[in-house]
Amino acid sequence: MVRTVVFDVGETLIDESRIWLRWAERLGVPPLTFLGVLGGCAALDLTHREAFELLRPGLDYQAEAARWALDDPDGLRTGFDADDLYPDVRPALEALRDAGFDVVIAGNQPPEARAALEAMDLPASAIRTSDEWGVQKPEPEFFVKVAELSGVAPEEIAYVGDRLDNDVLPAADAGMMPVLLRRGPWGYLHARRPEAARTTVIDSLTELPGVLAG
């Protein structure tokens, strides 16, 4: 029986559209081109960093991000705020909490993402990022950390994410209940793959209380 529900961040809780559009503007690439190449990377199982290499060969992502921080120190740049929260997030998390589930947020994010999420006052008992733990999904150690943070056995945890490869299949391999959210480029593409049969596929986070109760 699931007692704790753990959520990925990007394209699960946070709409990353504004982040990618800011990157397109920063690199001087038309928005449709940038988003199209990003979608192509999702379809071809390439990392999102490959989109930058395709559009700007030889670009040093970290160096460019550092220059951007100097140019616009007070801007969001690669970050997010409450305006990027998907509209179903707060009601879904509140419904889960009211139903007696513990809610945890843990994803591949830089440390500043934790502060951004905490500022939203979401009904979550804990928020952690991969950079804090020093390990990223899909590494098994990440899901060991998730279980330790949750304080329950892996089989009592549902992990919710928008990707098969990075999120829910590694969670399943760790003994957790995998829930694939059909959202964002990866979510829509991955939901059509045969491996999605190993997961529970949902179209909105508001489906979760009913799915878990069933």
Side-chain angles (χ1 to χ4, degrees):
M1 180 178 294
V2 171
R3 296 170 58 191
T4 301
V5 187
V6 184
F7 291 89
D8 172 46
V9 179
E11 289 307 316
T12 299
L13 305 180
I14 296 298
D15 179 351
E16 295 180 317
S17 298
R18 292 201 303 165
I19 297 173
W20 299 125
L21 292 176
R22 288 195 296 269
W23 263 118
E25 182 178 8
R26 173 74 184 179
L27 299 180
V29 176
L32 179 60
T33 300
F34 189 96
L35 296 176
V37 170
L38 186 68
C41 289
L44 296 171
D45 290 332
L46 302 175
T47 71
H48 67 276
R49 294 287 179 88
E50 293 286 344
F52 293 86
E53 178 62 26
L54 287 166
L55 292 165
R56 290 288 181 269
L59 177 76
D60 185 325
Y61 176 92
Q62 295 294 352
E64 185 62 29
R67 283 192 291 270
W68 196 0
L70 292 174
D71 295 341
D72 184 20
D74 299 320
L76 279 175
R77 304 185 309 279
T78 62
F80 53 81
D81 61 20
D83 289 339
D84 299 301
L85 198 67
Y86 273 109
D88 62 348
V89 173
R90 196 175 298 275
L93 270 57
E94 289 174 350
L96 288 167
R97 180 193 58 189
D98 294 345
F101 295 99
D102 187 27
V103 175
V104 172
I105 299 171
N108 284 355
Q109 294 288 327
E112 55 267 25
R114 177 176 173 179
L117 289 163
E118 288 177 340
M120 298 178 198
D121 194 27
L122 296 170
S125 64
I127 300 172
R128 296 291 187 274
T129 67
S130 56
D131 277 13
E132 292 178 80
W133 283 339
V135 61
Q136 292 195 341
K137 295 177 295 181
E139 293 300 320
E141 290 82 2
F142 180 93
F143 296 94
V144 171
K145 292 285 189 182
V146 167
E148 291 173 350
L149 177 64
S150 302
V152 297
E155 59 267 24
E156 296 176 303
I157 299 171
Y159 193 90
V160 185
D162 65 299
R163 294 179 60 162
L164 289 173
D165 56 349
N166 237 33
D167 300 331
V168 298
L169 292 185
D173 291 340
M176 301 175 186
M177 176 183 177
V179 181
L180 178 65
L181 177 61
R182 196 183 343 243
R183 179 140 79 196
W186 278 266
Y188 279 100
L189 290 164
H190 287 193
R192 299 191 63 179
R193 296 186 175 183
E195 304 96 306
R198 289 183 58 194
T199 78
T200 297
V201 181
I202 60 174
D203 291 298
S204 169
L205 297 180
T206 56
E207 298 175 36
L208 278 170
V211 167
L212 296 176

